[in-house]
C-alpha cells in the first residue's frame, strides 16, 4: 500500500526519515534522523545530522510539525495527528 497525504498519519512510522519543522524547543528545529520508536505521545529519533549520532525524544503534541520521508514522497504531519500508538492509529483509520 502506498503512502499518501491522507494515510501517512495512520501508518507505522518506525524506520522512516524525519525532519522536525516546528517545535517548542527551538534547538530541535531542523533536526533530521530516523524514527526508532513511535510511542503514545512522543517519537524517539536517532539524529543523523550530528556527530556523534544521538537519540532524542520529541513530544508529538504542543504544535510540533514533522516532515516524514517515505518511498512514495515527503509528507508534512502535525504532531497532534499522530498521537497514540501505531496500533490505535490504525484502528482510527479503519
Amino acid at each position: 500500500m502506498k503512502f499518501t497525504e491522507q494515510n501517512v498519519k495512520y501508518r507505522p512510522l518506525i524506520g522512516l526519515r524525519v525532519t522536525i519543522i516546528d517545535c517548542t524547543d527551538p534547538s530541535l528545529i531542523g533536526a533530521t534522523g530516523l524514527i526508532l520508536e513511535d510511542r503514545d505521545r512522543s517519537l524517539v529519533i536517532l539524529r543523523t545530522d550530528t556527530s556523534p549520532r544521538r537519540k532524542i525524544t520529541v513530544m508529538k503534541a504542543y504544535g510540533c510539525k514533522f516532515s516524514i520521508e517515505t518511498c512514495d514522497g515527503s509528507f508534512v504531519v502535525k504532531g497532534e495527528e499522530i498521537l497514540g500508538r501505531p496500533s490505535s492509529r490504525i484502528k482510527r483509520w479503519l
Side-chain angles (χ1 to χ4, degrees), residues 16-19 31-35 45-49:
L16 297 178
R17 180 167 293 286
V18 65
T19 302
T32 60
L34 297 173
I35 299 175
I45 299 170
L46 176 65
R47 286 189 71 171
T48 56
D49 60 343

Side-chain angles (χ1 to χ4, degrees), residues 13 20 22-24 28 35 37-45 56-66 78-89 92:
L13 303 175
I20 301 171
D22 194 14
C23 186
T24 53
L28 294 178
I35 299 175
E37 293 181 42
D38 186 359
R39 296 180 179 165
D40 194 26
R41 301 184 77 59
S42 63
L43 293 174
V44 177
I45 299 170
I56 57 171
T57 301
V58 181
M59 300 303 290
K60 292 179 183 177
Y62 309 116
C64 288
K65 280 187 184 176
F66 305 98
K78 293 180 183 176
E80 291 85 10
E81 295 175 336
I82 57 173
L83 280 175
R85 294 184 181 99
S87 58
S88 64
R89 290 197 312 260
R92 279 188 268 163

Side-chain angles (χ1 to χ4, degrees), residues 15-16 27 44 46 51 61 70-71 93:
L16 297 178
S27 67
V44 177
L46 176 65
S51 183
T70 69
C71 56
W93 183 37

